[in-house]
Amino acid sequence: MADPSSYRPKPGQIPDSPGVYKFRDEHGRVIYVGKAKSLRQRLSSYFQDITNLHQRTATMVTTAASVEWTVVSTEVEALQLEYSWIKEYDPRFNVKYRDDKSYPSLAVTMNEEYPRVQVMRGPKRKGVRYFGPYAHAWAIRETVDLLLRVFPVRTCSAGVFKRSAQIGRPCLLGYIGKCSAPCVGRISAADHRELAEEFSDFMAGHTGTYLRRLEQRMKDAAAAMEYEQAARLRDDIEALKRAMEKNAVVLADATDADLIAVAEDELEAAVQIFHVRGGRVRGQRGWVTDKVEAVDTAGLVEHAIQQLYGDETGDAGESGGSGGVPKEVLVPALPEPAAPVAQWLGQRRGSQVSLRVPQRGDKKDLMATVQRNALQALALHKTKRASDLTTRSRALEEIATALDLDTAPLRIECYDISHLQGADVVASMVVFEDGLARKSEYRRFQIKSFAGQDDVRSMHEVISRRFRRYLREKQRTSEWEQEPPDGAVSVAVNGHGSGELNGGLDGEPSGDLDGELNGAAGGQVVSGPIDPDTGRPRKFAYPPQLVVVDGGKPQVAAARRALDELGIDDVAVCGLAKRLEEVWLPDDDDPVILPRTSEGLYLLQRVRDEAHRFAITYQRAKRSRSMKAGALDTVPGLGETRRQALLKHFGSLKRLRAATVEEICEVPGIGRKTAETVAAALAAAGPAAPAVNTATGEIIEEGDGTPAGPPAVPSGYRGKSR
């Protein structure tokens, strides 16, 4: 725990101007980002008597080891830079809203030749118009089902669309009138796109035009005594009205507005947003956050506005969907100060935005409804999470007690080896922090120092490579200035920036490691484990408190030996054997037996199983690539596109091998030099042994036919899927 006075800036160093500041911990990670109208006043408040600080603020300043700041000209620029840094560094002490669920939206893929209407989740894609988000996917499907009577837009997947085009028959929706069947040419691409535009306009709230048009067509049909046509139009009008009723009018003045409400307690806060377009509620979403910093309702509102509109541009009313910034943003409390936030919103919209607290009328009543939703969301979240937090904490404490650790292992790394009868040997590293998987930290390894099947030796190599990289990063960032213990391996950075190993591991390769990071030229020390180019943590920059290996006593001993050779004595090691779920410790003759009902054992099993899954996935992908590799894969300068063009032109590898250089040159994109290279490579490779269809016993000519099924997995395959 650092003393804030040890890194406090000297008097007069901090400018009295707007800016953004960030605190870093001892490893160089950004742990907090903030903005201020006056950097001098704001930063000075962090270095007062620690007993006068809020508990969360005190925790932050004692965790930090340095502070930096950037001066900007206006408070709006400070707001923009703060949002960018929070998004880039993901600091642990900043409020970060996370969706309490992945809300579905109604999407129209205008970026396709034949636009498709579908339910979408996740990040927005370019060229797609979104409407929502909605609370339930079934609500979207009900609305779409009603609207397809009037706007028969394509809803099928690319595979179904392609299949229908091939056989010349539309799907069921095409027969019952709920699809215009562009797949079989019943409607042109231009007319279908116009239909999709009309569908989008109706969903955007421009409903009056279409209703009046249909009513006039119904009257004209009735006047012409075309009663069946008039009846169909009448039913279409009723369908549109039923779809409109699903979004009741809540604001009579047809306003475009977003209403944001906050429900909070001392530890957490929930935010609910209602998107109102054309006076109707067109979408709803919610976020939940831990209050890891001292923040009031106004601060929570400001963070929510940053996250909600940080990536949005344009007018929400003109965008015709859920994107953009609306004319009004109604909040329960105004940020302090409110003017820069309103100005920032105006810049993103392209015109003025009203940021205010509703005081009376329909908008105040609707805000009360949003507030009730926020309270309900917070109560539901706390009910779900209470047991989860308690369980994870208990699991970590049980592991610490069973393994005799000083503290709970907040970062756990687990390693597993996977191979197929000694071939394609790979390893995986998975990371759990605070009992939860941190997939961005997962790593994969190829075993390089030897060939064959030896799990113990493979585990020793992987642990050595991972922690050698950690020591190298630690030395390069000048965090490690002490000499390693006697007999330990010392790590140096040479003048070319590549890592070298001095002594210690017999036969262990010093270079060519997976994902090798080059150092600064001339052995220059870099500033912390954060990559200055990407702003992200460097690979292997942080050590775990506990290393778990998939295996028993031999694997544990190999991992411990690798750490001892590198002089690392502050990382605990254990192994989890599959058969009896025994926990093995180094130098112990007997395993630690955790109760079957132990939360600690359950967490170790989850970590081990995740490492197993990750290793199996990598090994299978690697094996699949090697099985699919052919003679053309070794031709230098020949990419996937030109390989496919060659096979498509000649029909098979056998015919390609028999072709002359002139015939190969006839393939588009293949020059004479490339053709000569291809011919030489195929001639050197020679004809392959004929493939046999294992189901029928027939010989399959090279490049013709398809395998009868997936290859059988030999019995010696280690790491069987669970």
Side-chain angles (χ1 to χ4, degrees), residues 382-418:
K382 293 186 77 66
T383 301
K384 290 180 178 179
R385 195 180 179 201
S387 59
D388 182 48
L389 273 175
T390 304
T391 300
R392 294 204 319 266
S393 300
R394 185 166 68 248
L396 293 174
E397 289 296 335
E398 287 181 2
I399 292 173
T401 302
L403 305 185
D404 197 22
L405 305 179
D406 295 333
T407 59
L410 297 182
R411 180 182 172 104
I412 301 174
E413 293 180 1
C414 185
Y415 298 81
D416 188 25
I417 309 295
S418 182

Side-chain angles (χ1 to χ4, degrees), residues 100-111:
D100 50 11
K101 65 177 89 173
S102 178
Y103 285 93
S105 296
L106 173 60
V108 185
T109 58
M110 303 302 295
N111 56 347

Side-chain angles (χ1 to χ4, degrees), residues 384-550:
K384 290 180 178 179
R385 195 180 179 201
S387 59
D388 182 48
L389 273 175
T390 304
T391 300
R392 294 204 319 266
S393 300
R394 185 166 68 248
L396 293 174
E397 289 296 335
E398 287 181 2
I399 292 173
T401 302
L403 305 185
D404 197 22
L405 305 179
D406 295 333
T407 59
L410 297 182
R411 180 182 172 104
I412 301 174
E413 293 180 1
C414 185
Y415 298 81
D416 188 25
I417 309 295
S418 182
H419 56 79
L420 178 62
Q421 292 183 330
D424 294 329
V425 184
V426 299
S428 67
M429 178 189 99
V430 302
V431 179
F432 274 58
E433 290 188 353
D434 196 21
L436 297 175
R438 189 174 178 86
K439 295 192 175 183
S440 62
E441 299 284 321
Y442 286 14
R443 297 291 180 263
R444 304 181 301 191
F445 301 84
Q446 295 184 43
I447 303 303
K448 299 180 176 182
S449 63
F450 68 96
Q453 178 177 347
D454 190 339
D455 289 359
V456 175
R457 188 175 176 185
S458 299
M459 185 64 71
H460 181 275
E461 177 185 331
V462 171
I463 298 294
S464 298
R465 287 165 58 181
R466 184 267 183 266
F467 284 93
R468 189 185 313 127
R469 286 288 301 278
Y470 160 63
L471 293 179
R472 187 175 299 126
E473 294 293 343
K474 193 173 182 180
Q475 186 188 43
R476 289 169 58 197
T477 57
S478 69
E479 293 179 24
W480 182 32
E481 300 177 355
Q482 299 178 355
E483 291 295 327
D486 294 339
V489 178
S490 62
V491 181
V493 179
N494 64 23
H496 302 288
S498 60
E500 291 183 349
L501 199 65
N502 302 325
L505 299 178
D506 296 334
E508 185 72 26
S510 62
D512 193 29
L513 302 181
D514 274 3
E516 186 68 51
L517 287 175
N518 291 328
Q524 180 180 355
V525 173
V526 294
S527 57
I530 304 298
D531 191 324
D533 296 328
T534 65
R536 299 180 181 276
R538 300 180 189 275
K539 294 181 179 180
F540 308 110
Y542 305 116
Q545 283 82 45
L546 175 63
V547 166
V548 181
V549 299
D550 183 9

Side-chain angles (χ1 to χ4, degrees), residues 201-460:
D201 289 342
F202 186 88
M203 287 300 303
H206 307 149
T207 58
T209 303
Y210 298 101
L211 287 175
R212 287 192 294 270
R213 185 189 306 172
L214 289 177
E215 288 173 352
Q216 185 60 45
R217 288 175 56 190
M218 180 184 66
K219 292 176 182 178
D220 293 343
M225 293 187 291
E226 297 178 357
Y227 299 117
E228 291 184 1
Q229 175 68 12
R232 282 195 296 270
L233 291 171
R234 178 201 61 201
D235 294 341
D236 290 347
I237 293 172
E238 291 299 321
L240 291 181
K241 288 182 177 179
R242 287 199 301 274
M244 292 170 58
E245 289 170 358
K246 291 181 176 295
N247 299 112
V249 175
V250 291
L251 299 178
D253 56 356
T255 299
D256 293 333
D258 284 347
L259 289 87
I260 303 173
V262 178
E264 58 181 310
D265 58 18
E266 293 182 356
L267 299 176
E268 295 176 306
V271 174
Q272 283 287 307
I273 302 101
F274 275 23
H275 303 281
V276 180
R277 301 293 182 265
R280 298 175 182 271
V281 178
R282 296 291 181 181
Q284 174 188 357
R285 66 196 302 185
W287 296 320
V288 182
T289 183
D290 294 323
K291 295 174 68 174
V292 291
E293 60 173 301
V295 61
D296 56 8
T297 302
L300 291 169
V301 168
E302 181 176 336
H303 287 302
I305 289 174
Q306 283 182 310
Q307 179 154 333
L308 188 60
Y309 304 111
D311 296 321
E312 300 289 349
T313 55
D315 187 352
E318 295 178 359
S319 67
S322 59
V325 182
K327 184 178 180 180
E328 287 188 67
V329 178
L330 306 178
V331 296
L334 291 174
E336 288 291 340
V341 179
Q343 186 179 348
W344 176 72
L345 289 172
Q347 290 179 357
R348 306 206 68 81
R349 182 173 185 260
S351 58
Q352 186 176 358
V353 175
S354 174
L355 177 64
R356 61 189 182 88
V357 179
Q359 301 294 334
R360 63 182 67 85
D362 294 340
K363 294 176 181 178
K364 184 178 180 181
D365 294 339
L366 183 57
M367 177 62 79
T369 301
V370 184
Q371 180 68 30
R372 286 194 297 272
N373 278 264
L375 290 169
Q376 178 64 27
L378 181 62
L380 182 62
H381 171 77
K382 293 186 77 66
T383 301
K384 290 180 178 179
R385 195 180 179 201
S387 59
D388 182 48
L389 273 175
T390 304
T391 300
R392 294 204 319 266
S393 300
R394 185 166 68 248
L396 293 174
E397 289 296 335
E398 287 181 2
I399 292 173
T401 302
L403 305 185
D404 197 22
L405 305 179
D406 295 333
T407 59
L410 297 182
R411 180 182 172 104
I412 301 174
E413 293 180 1
C414 185
Y415 298 81
D416 188 25
I417 309 295
S418 182
H419 56 79
L420 178 62
Q421 292 183 330
D424 294 329
V425 184
V426 299
S428 67
M429 178 189 99
V430 302
V431 179
F432 274 58
E433 290 188 353
D434 196 21
L436 297 175
R438 189 174 178 86
K439 295 192 175 183
S440 62
E441 299 284 321
Y442 286 14
R443 297 291 180 263
R444 304 181 301 191
F445 301 84
Q446 295 184 43
I447 303 303
K448 299 180 176 182
S449 63
F450 68 96
Q453 178 177 347
D454 190 339
D455 289 359
V456 175
R457 188 175 176 185
S458 299
M459 185 64 71
H460 181 275

Side-chain angles (χ1 to χ4, degrees), residues 672-688:
R672 184 167 187 85
K673 185 176 180 181
T674 303
E676 291 173 350
T677 305
V678 170
L682 292 177

